[in-house]
Amino acid sequence: GEDVEQSLFLSVREGDSSVINCTYTDSSSTYLYWYKQEPGAGLQLLTYIFSNMDMKQDQRLTVLLNKKDKHLSLRIADTQTGDSAIYFCAESTAGGSYIPTFGRGTSLIVHP
Amino acid sequence: DGGITQSPKYLFRKEGQNVTLSCEQNLNHDAMYWYRQDPGQGLRLIYYSQIVNDFQKGDIAEGYSVSREKKESFPLTVTSAQKNPTAFYLCASSIGDILNSPLHFGNGTRLTVT
């Protein structure tokens, strides 16, 4: 079945780059999403990538997809304290339910 | 502005009482969802609805009930049968049955039952 795995915590210094990693199991055509959740709020869609792409860049965000290893990463350049949040990876797969499968979320802590 | 509204933001109830959480969307989305979030456990799907007057159980439906009488509304009732109801509840919606159908979330309701 589908499974999405993320590490639970990441701590970085302000101004450094953050890299949040995710692995998924389904190898069919897939959309992969990154969501951000600030404390006490809902999830906000940050970006997504389709499985026929290797990379997508949007301002400070870069998504890299390694289809062979089923590995997705989100890189945040010049990380700011406002980037402190929980980041969720999610996968939506052709041929299955259209409901995305979510990882458990990675808590990003940015130190001044 | 289009979006999803959950109310109230905080809800307090005594054990043994049923409570209903509101979720309204004006995005014209066909599908709506309820998730429960507990610390360290990510999101767990309670119920979802693909179309008006139809809904399906998710992974943890026991002790919950829903209705979908209108496209815009998907209220969740937490019944007294739910053994551990204190949690953060998130409602979401999406276009529906297409591959790229990202979920749009409300800001959540924090339910505390004592």
Side-chain angles (χ1 to χ4, degrees):
Chain A
E2 300 172 12
D3 200 9
V4 178
E5 299 282 345
Q6 299 178 243
S7 54
L8 292 182
F9 298 99
L10 177 65
S11 178
V12 300
R13 199 174 299 278
E14 190 175 17
D16 289 348
S17 291
S18 307
V19 180
I20 303 170
N21 295 302
C22 171
T23 59
Y24 60 98
T25 56
D26 204 299
S27 57
S28 55
S29 299
T30 295
Y31 275 92
L32 294 141
Y33 307 93
W34 283 106
Y35 288 84
K36 176 184 180 182
Q37 184 183 31
E38 297 185 0
L43 277 68
Q44 172 195 356
L45 179 66
L46 287 177
T47 187
Y48 64 88
I49 190 168
F50 186 54
S51 55
N52 67 353
M53 299 169 65
D54 296 321
M55 186 182 89
K56 182 176 181 180
Q57 188 155 3
D58 184 1
Q59 299 183 328
R60 291 191 298 123
L61 305 179
T62 302
V63 178
L64 293 177
L65 178 60
N66 180 329
K67 290 183 285 293
K68 174 175 167 292
D69 294 337
K70 296 184 190 138
H71 181 267
L72 180 75
S73 66
L74 175 70
R75 178 176 178 270
I76 305 173
D78 187 25
T79 312
Q80 303 297 307
T81 54
D83 295 322
S84 293
I86 302 176
Y87 290 82
F88 289 91
C89 171
E91 174 190 34
S92 180
T93 304
S97 164
Y98 58 85
I99 303 171
T101 300
F102 285 85
R104 289 192 171 193
T106 299
S107 288
L108 174 65
I109 300 166
V110 182
H111 297 284
Chain B
D1 282 338
I4 301 179
T5 302
Q6 290 187 242
S7 61
K9 188 161 179 65
Y10 299 96
L11 195 49
F12 298 88
R13 280 293 183 272
K14 296 287 188 187
E15 198 173 313
Q17 293 179 334
N18 291 355
V19 60
T20 297
L21 283 61
S22 169
C23 178
E24 303 277 331
Q25 55 101 358
N26 60 4
L27 298 166
N28 200 33
H29 284 169
D30 284 319
M32 296 187 74
Y33 313 80
W34 275 105
Y35 287 90
R36 171 182 173 138
Q37 185 176 25
D38 296 283
Q41 294 203 42
L43 303 178
R44 292 186 288 171
L45 183 64
I46 304 172
Y47 268 98
Y48 65 99
S49 167
Q50 301 175 44
I51 199 166
V52 174
N53 291 324
D54 185 53
F55 48 83
Q56 309 295 329
K57 291 182 180 179
D59 301 317
I60 56 163
E62 187 175 345
Y64 299 97
S65 65
V66 293
S67 62
R68 186 87 187 277
E69 297 176 3
K70 299 187 298 181
K71 187 175 185 177
E72 301 81 16
S73 178
F74 191 41
L76 173 74
T77 297
V78 184
T79 74
S80 57
Q82 168 49 233
K83 290 184 174 56
N84 187 17
T86 294
F88 189 53
Y89 291 87
L90 286 162
C91 179
S93 70
S94 71
I95 292 171
D97 197 6
I98 62 171
L99 180 56
N100 186 17
S101 185
L103 270 57
H104 298 255
F105 285 84
N107 276 326
T109 292
R110 186 165 298 279
L111 173 65
T112 302
V113 176
T114 58

